[in-house]
Amino acid sequence: MDVFYTFQAEAPMTALLVAMAFLRLFAWAVMLLLDQVRTASKSPQLARYTTLKREAALMRAKLQHISAQDEFARYFKLDRQMNAKNAEADKLSIYLAYLPDSQYY
């Protein structure tokens, strides 16, 4: 019986430690996101790159809901726009790869 009561007494402590670990992980994720926002806001090229990638992803999502056979012109117009944004983002990614890290911060 002593083992059972000891386990019950330690259960709240274990739950507290798990909650603290979760909060620490959550705080780390928030700090990482804030760092990315700060980095993007200080580098106009990086901000443009993230914007292009986001717009291309939205266009890709729209393309999945359009039938290429039924709405040929609309589909391929959106496809060309998405490809142009991806090409521009690729050019920017090559440029960003050669920048020293100090220019981001």
Side-chain angles (χ1 to χ4, degrees):
M1 287 289 185
D2 276 343
V3 175
F4 180 72
Y5 289 117
T6 305
F7 178 74
Q8 282 184 341
E10 291 177 2
M13 186 59 125
T14 305
L16 180 64
L17 290 175
V18 169
M20 287 175 56
F22 176 75
L23 287 175
R24 186 174 222 166
L25 183 64
F26 180 74
W28 175 78
V30 168
M31 292 302 292
L32 184 66
L33 287 173
L34 288 175
D35 187 47
Q36 288 177 351
V37 168
R38 184 177 9 151
T39 301
S41 65
K42 290 194 176 189
S43 171
Q45 293 88 4
L46 187 59
R48 177 73 180 143
Y49 174 79
T50 55
T51 302
L52 287 170
K53 284 304 223 181
R54 188 179 316 113
E55 289 173 355
L58 288 172
M59 288 181 178
R60 190 176 317 112
K62 286 181 185 177
L63 279 177
Q64 292 176 351
H65 297 290
I66 299 173
S67 171
Q69 293 175 348
D70 295 339
E71 300 179 59
F72 182 84
R74 181 176 169 217
Y75 181 89
F76 284 100
K77 180 180 178 182
L78 194 58
D79 186 54
R80 284 192 305 272
Q81 290 173 350
M82 182 186 70
N83 290 339
K85 289 191 186 294
N86 281 330
E88 187 177 348
D90 289 343
K91 288 178 188 175
L92 275 174
S93 71
I94 293 170
Y95 171 77
L96 290 171
Y98 290 105
L99 284 180
D101 290 338
S102 62
Q103 290 191 13
Y104 290 129
Y105 301 103

